[in-house]
Amino acid sequence: MTSTGDQPIGIFDSGVGGLTVLAELRRQLPAEDFIYLGDTARLPYGNKSAGVVTRYAFENTLYLLDQGVKMVVIACNTATAGSLDRLQTHFRRSILGVIEPGAHAASEASRSGRIGVIGTTGTIASGAYEKAILNRRPGAVVHGAACPLLVPLAEEGMMDHPASGLIIRDYLQPLLLKDIDVLLLGCTHYPILRKAIAQQLVDGVRIIDSAGATAQAVREDLVRQDLLRNSMGRAGTCRFLLSDRHDHFRHLAERFLDGPVPDIELVTY
Ligand code: DGL
C-alpha cells in the first residue's frame, strides 16, 4: 500500500511514557497529525517476557496501521528492544524505534565514553543499548541498571513525591560509583521523573533521553520518503487512544503536551 503525506503518524507505548516522545514529535513536526495509542490494559511491559511484549507490539502496530497511519513510532524502549526488527520485516512499512536514536544521542553527548543507562528490566536484560552504543563508539563503557519501580511512579504522576527521590537514589548509586558522565534515560517514562532524577546526580553528569533524536529520525525518514505533511498553515492534530481507562492520563498528557487534550477514546483490539 502506498502512503501519502496527509496520513497521520501512529505512536504507541504501554502507557503515558510515549507522551514524552510525542511532545518532541509535535515540537519538531507541528504540521503532522498523530494517533497516540497507550496500551494501558496491559501495562507495564518492562517486567514481561520478550515474547509477550513482542505480541503486544505486533497487535499495537497492526491496530495503528488499520487506522491508516503512514508510519509507526514505537515510543517504548522495551518493545523496541524486543521487536523492532521483527515488526519491520513483517509489516514492510516505516516503523521506527527509540533505541538507535537514544544510543546516538548518548554517544555524542559523552566525553569520557562512560555511559550509564537506566531502563526497564526487559530493556536492560536485552543489552540493546550497550550493543547500539558500542556500534557507534567502540571504546565506550556502558553500565546498565534496571529500575522497575520508576514506571509505576511515573504512571501515578508521583514526580514530586519524596518516595520517588529515595527510590531513584537507591537505583542510581551503583551507577554513580562508575564515574559516568552521561545518564541515558532508556525508558520513555523516565523523562516524566527527570527533575527527581537530576536531583540525585552529581555535577558533571548529563541526562540524555531519546525523544529529541527520535523526532529527528522520524523527520528524516519522512523527508526521505517524501511523506512530510503539507499543512497549508493548519496545525496538526492528535487523537488519543487507550486500551483501558487511566485516571491520570489526561492530567499527564496536558502537562507534557502543554495544552488541553481532547477526547480520550477507549479501544479494544
Ligand atoms: N515506556 C516503556 C519503555 O520505554 C515501557 C515501560 C513499561 O511499560 O514497563 O520501556
Side-chain angles (χ1 to χ4, degrees):
M1 203 186 86
T2 351
S3 299
T4 70
D6 285 342
Q7 290 171 263
I9 295 171
I11 163 167
F12 77 82
D13 178 43
S14 57
V16 298
L19 292 170
T20 60
V21 179
L22 177 64
E24 241 337 287
L25 283 166
R26 297 222 308 182
R27 210 177 59 75
Q28 293 193 31
L29 296 162
E32 297 291 335
D33 290 336
F34 293 96
I35 301 182
Y36 183 92
L37 173 62
D39 190 10
T40 43
R42 304 188 284 195
L43 167 88
Y45 283 5
N47 55 7
K48 299 202 166 66
S49 63
V52 167
V53 174
T54 298
R55 174 157 59 83
Y56 294 169
F58 263 80
E59 289 166 6
N60 297 338
T61 302
L62 190 57
Y63 185 79
L64 285 169
L65 290 172
D66 281 348
Q67 301 298 305
V69 301
K70 60 185 171 189
M71 167 191 285
V72 174
V73 180
I74 310 175
C76 171
N77 291 267
T78 316
T80 301
S83 41
L84 178 64
D85 295 349
R86 268 178 274 183
L87 291 172
Q88 286 171 334
T89 309
H90 182 84
F91 290 105
R92 301 192 172 282
R93 299 285 294 274
S94 231
I95 301 176
L96 272 71
V98 283
I99 288 189
E100 287 295 331
H104 174 72
S107 308
E108 296 270 294
S110 174
R111 275 199 251 163
S112 68
R114 304 179 73 82
I115 298 172
V117 182
I118 53 174
T120 66
T121 305
T123 299
I124 297 302
S126 76
Y129 265 115
E130 183 166 14
K131 199 167 144 223
I133 291 170
L134 290 175
N135 269 340
R136 291 188 155 70
R137 197 163 164 173
V141 182
V142 181
H143 297 282
C147 306
L149 290 175
L150 300 195
V151 167
L153 292 175
E155 286 287 329
E156 289 297 320
M158 290 173 64
M159 292 79 100
D160 304 314
H161 197 287
S164 301
L166 288 175
I167 291 167
I168 291 166
R169 184 186 316 163
D170 200 60
Y171 281 143
L172 292 187
Q173 239 158 22
L175 279 185
L176 294 177
L177 292 175
K178 306 286 185 191
D179 201 21
I180 55 171
D181 71 350
V182 159
L183 178 70
L184 173 57
L185 308 186
C187 171
T188 55
H189 279 74
Y190 297 176
I192 294 172
L193 301 163
R194 181 186 293 268
K195 205 174 100 199
I197 292 171
Q199 280 166 357
Q200 303 304 329
L201 292 182
V202 292
D203 283 351
V205 182
R206 274 182 73 186
I207 297 182
I208 297 290
D209 67 48
S210 51
T214 300
Q216 212 175 314
V218 168
R219 163 177 272 285
E220 283 163 14
D221 198 69
L222 292 174
V223 169
R224 193 175 50 75
Q225 296 190 74
D226 197 19
L227 282 179
L228 267 185
R229 183 160 182 272
N230 184 355
S231 70
M232 313 232 238
R234 185 176 78 85
T237 61
C238 190
R239 272 177 73 199
F240 293 92
L241 316 179
L242 298 182
S243 56
D244 198 1
R245 57 171 282 202
H246 187 302
D247 294 339
H248 307 292
F249 189 87
R250 181 183 300 279
H251 172 69
L252 286 167
E254 289 182 342
R255 178 164 169 163
F256 277 90
L257 302 175
D258 211 16
V261 163
D263 289 348
I264 296 169
E265 303 164 49
L266 288 186
V267 295
T268 312
Y269 51 92

